[in-house]
Amino acid sequence: MAQGMDVDEAFRLAVERHRAGDLAAAEAGYRAVLTAHEHPGALRNLAVLLETTERTDEARTLYARWAAMVPETAAVWQTLGNFRRFTGELQAAEQAYRRAIELDPGLRQAQADLGLVLLAQGRFAEGWPLYEQRPRRLRTAARRLRFPEWMGEPLEGKRLFIWSEQGYGDQIMMARFVRELGAAHITLTCAPGLARLFAQLPAEVVPLADEVQAPAHDYWVLPMSIPAKLGVDERTIPQAPYLTAPPRARGGIGVMARGNPSYAWDRSRSPPPAVGAELLALPGAMSLDPADTGAADFQDTADIIAGLDLVITSDTSVAHLAGALGKTTWLLLSDHGLDWRWMRERADSPWYPSLRLYRQPRAGDWAAVVAEIRRDLAHFTNAVPQD
């Protein structure tokens, strides 16, 4: 902190550097503030910065110091819950979110996040109703439609409008329910890149554009809400495969090591480029990146996957696509930032029986994951029938 500069001014400048993406300068600024004063904002922001750069041990200490300063603030406990969920400490995350909700019963994001923690533990009956409190659902543009949200009423003889939400993988995952709903007519909106793939479903598929024409239906629903309305648990998940594709080729291993870099936690879920290069160097491996295959949409990628022996992928939409096709798939999972649907401490997935989950034994240890894949690949290759 510059001589003569007060603490608040130093904190403001550190925040400016943080927002500008200059993390080194922001970190130095926050540390200078904390040398002079136990500043709650600097504690919180430095902890967030350290979490983002995966220095979780120090981040944990700073979060604890911050919480001790303002223990009766709901937002503090929600942030602590987010951190504990990121590091995979699900019971601690649950406790933090429950404390946040106790302090502020109207904190819907904490309720939704608690729902995800419960779902990650397989506690579906508790988790789905809480996840329905997600602000994104409560603010969706679908609420401007002139017919009501579906709340689980019988759909026989009814028309249902499914309004798209979230990413490609979420949309593929929830497409399994279209065949289960029993409505007389279903209109399914989706990202344009999924439209050809979803055309095989018993629904009128509408690519989601800026303006969507929604003629009269009886109800609308968001796809991520369907499991809650149906009361789905691990025993009643509609099983894959529920999508098909004509194989474009025969044999080989498809590799997709990177997710969308614009995703906030892609650094955690996707291995570094050197690991991706190792996987692509495996015998018979080919990239599934559309930039390499020339795929124009998910149907093109599905056609390629359908002809492969195996898919190896990080936590991307390709994992959902391959799983929905019933293709043998090995999914690489980070220890930190793990998505709720992959749960913890299991090598299989109730959502996709053809998936095998390869988990980091400790945060950042992709080498152990690749070594395990190499060992298993030797057995897998010997088991694949040859022409």
Side-chain angles (χ1 to χ4, degrees), residues 48-338:
V48 169
L49 188 154
L50 293 170
E51 178 185 354
T52 303
T53 54
E54 299 184 52
R55 288 175 281 172
T56 52
D57 288 340
E58 188 181 0
R60 182 180 288 103
T61 299
L62 292 176
Y63 276 130
R65 285 166 57 187
W66 176 51
M69 293 187 71
V70 282
E72 300 303 310
T73 305
V76 170
W77 291 100
Q78 180 173 353
T79 301
L80 286 176
N82 293 343
F83 173 71
R84 297 294 193 177
R85 179 158 62 99
F86 173 73
T87 57
E89 302 165 86
L90 297 184
Q91 291 183 339
E94 179 181 346
Q95 293 170 1
Y97 287 135
R98 291 195 186 280
R99 179 59 177 151
I101 296 165
E102 181 182 355
L103 291 168
D104 182 357
L107 199 57
R108 295 188 184 278
Q109 186 61 61
Q111 295 178 53
D113 290 337
L114 174 58
L116 292 178
V117 166
L118 297 174
L119 292 173
Q121 297 176 68
R123 294 157 64 183
F124 291 91
E126 300 170 84
W128 292 127
L130 284 163
Y131 186 55
E132 284 296 271
Q133 296 303 309
R134 62 193 183 279
R136 186 178 300 182
R137 169 182 164 264
L138 300 173
R139 294 194 301 262
T140 178
R143 294 195 172 277
R144 296 199 294 267
L145 297 172
R146 289 174 290 181
F147 39 92
E149 182 180 9
W150 179 54
M151 303 305 290
E153 299 90 340
L155 289 172
E156 184 178 358
K158 303 295 184 180
R159 295 170 59 87
L160 180 67
F161 189 94
I162 303 177
W163 186 279
S164 179
E165 69 168 334
Q166 302 195 30
Y168 292 119
D170 303 284
Q171 294 176 60
I172 293 170
M173 178 180 174
M174 293 298 143
R176 72 184 66 226
F177 291 106
V178 172
R179 301 183 195 277
E180 310 295 321
L181 291 168
H185 178 88
I186 294 175
T187 299
L188 174 66
T189 66
C190 65
L194 291 166
R196 280 206 306 140
L197 179 69
F198 285 175
Q200 63 188 272
L201 297 171
E204 177 187 354
V205 177
V206 178
L208 194 62
D210 292 335
E211 294 290 332
V212 175
Q213 298 299 317
H217 288 65
D218 294 288
Y219 305 106
W220 64 265
V221 71
L222 299 183
M224 297 299 293
S225 291
I226 295 174
K229 310 305 185 190
L230 295 178
V232 168
D233 60 24
E234 187 169 336
R235 298 166 301 171
T236 59
I237 295 172
Q239 289 298 292
Y242 52 89
L243 296 174
T244 62
R248 184 175 293 183
R250 180 171 176 80
I253 301 169
V255 173
M256 189 69 175
R258 297 292 299 176
N260 182 353
S262 66
Y263 176 63
W265 295 110
D266 189 62
R267 169 185 276 183
S268 296
R269 70 173 183 172
S270 293
V275 173
E278 268 194 271
L279 296 173
L280 284 169
L282 294 171
M286 61 168 286
S287 171
L288 291 176
D289 190 324
D292 298 321
T293 65
D297 61 9
F298 278 87
Q299 182 65 64
D300 283 345
T301 301
D303 295 349
I304 296 169
I305 288 174
L308 297 173
D309 297 317
L310 172 68
V311 169
I312 302 175
T313 179
S314 62
D315 184 7
T316 72
S317 55
V318 165
H320 293 274
L321 178 60
L325 293 167
K327 179 61 60 178
T328 300
T329 302
W330 295 354
L331 175 58
L332 287 66
L333 293 176
S334 170
D335 183 68
H336 283 175
L338 186 64

Side-chain angles (χ1 to χ4, degrees), residues 336-353:
H336 283 175
L338 186 64
D339 193 274
W340 65 271
R341 72 203 81 205
W342 308 127
M343 308 173 83
R344 292 194 73 84
E345 299 178 1
R346 58 188 294 174
D348 66 332
S349 167
W351 296 96
Y352 302 109

